[in-house]
Amino acid sequence: AQSVTQLDSQVPVFEEAPVELRCNYSSSVSVYLFWYVQYPNQGLQLLLKYLSGSTLVKGINGFEAEFNKSQTSFHLRKPSVHISDTAEYFCAVSRGYGGATNKLIFGTGTLLAVQP
Amino acid sequence: NAGVTQTPKFQVLKTGQSMTLQCAQDMNHNSMYWYRQDPGMGLRLIYYSASEGTTDKGEVPNGYNVSRLNKREFSLRLESAAPSQTSVYFCASRDRANTEAFFGQGTRLTVV
């Protein structure tokens, strides 16, 4: 079974500083990996996804993530954050092949708090 | 473009009451999911459905039942609500390739 660990429940950062949100996964098979963002009182929106190919994935709003198979990680980064990036960020994993539906499992989330 | 629609958006129940949360998607997706979101616990999978007519338990199925009525609709039922089921519930759908999931806006349920 797949699982996801987001070790940081909250990450405070100043505006225009870089940020990294950590995500580690556990799986015995190939995986698809996702980062979602949730703004207050809203649903989840996809930031980026890794399915296959290049290990560096670029998403919306200037975010990127790197898939590292040996370290089973998929950390999210942004070189310069804005106040508007304040939100909760979720990492998610599913098995990496089609056919029957695979469970989509989420981590516990990281609250990114951008301060002026 | 409606995407995934959940109803109701808010609900207050008394302990022991029953209710059904409705979810419909208009993207012709095969897979649908129900999650609950609680502070500090992220999104936990309650049930999911690979296709019309099939359902499977997720991480926290106890106290819930689901019905995949047709390809568009996937409902979640609480037969006898408990305060521990106070949460925000999200429905999601996903295509056959099992890539990106699309989420509804959530149902905020309070059981008193």
Side-chain angles (χ1 to χ4, degrees), chain A residues 32 34 36 38 41-46 49 51 88 90 93-95 97-109, chain B residues 30-31 33 35 37 40-43 45 48-51 57-59 90 94 96-105 108:
Chain A
Y32 292 159
F34 308 86
Y36 283 82
Q38 184 181 35
N41 299 314
Q42 294 190 24
L44 278 77
Q45 176 184 2
L46 183 72
K49 60 189 176 188
L51 306 180
E88 190 148 26
F90 292 95
V93 64
S94 73
R95 282 195 297 182
Y97 54 87
T101 283
N102 300 308
K103 294 180 183 181
L104 180 60
I105 302 299
F106 283 80
T108 52
Chain B
N30 288 297
S31 311
Y33 304 77
Y35 293 90
Q37 183 178 18
M41 305 189 78
L43 277 80
L45 182 63
Y48 65 107
S49 169
S51 61
K57 294 179 180 179
E59 302 166 282
F90 286 98
R94 212 172 171 204
R96 182 176 289 279
N98 289 314
T99 55
E100 176 184 356
F102 293 82
F103 283 81
Q105 289 300 299
R108 188 173 295 273

Side-chain angles (χ1 to χ4, degrees), chain B residues 25-80:
Chain B
Q25 52 93 7
D26 62 3
M27 295 171 283
N28 201 36
H29 286 168
N30 288 297
S31 311
M32 296 186 75
Y33 304 77
W34 275 107
Y35 293 90
R36 61 176 290 173
Q37 183 178 18
D38 303 289
M41 305 189 78
L43 277 80
R44 292 181 291 170
L45 182 63
I46 304 171
Y47 272 93
Y48 65 107
S49 169
S51 61
E52 183 179 350
T54 68
T55 60
D56 286 286
K57 294 179 180 179
E59 302 166 282
V60 289
N62 291 344
Y64 305 95
N65 287 302
V66 291
S67 295
R68 184 73 183 268
L69 305 170
N70 47 54
K71 193 171 187 179
R72 290 187 65 248
E73 299 172 287
F74 188 39
S75 62
L76 178 71
R77 183 160 178 84
L78 286 70
E79 291 290 351
S80 179

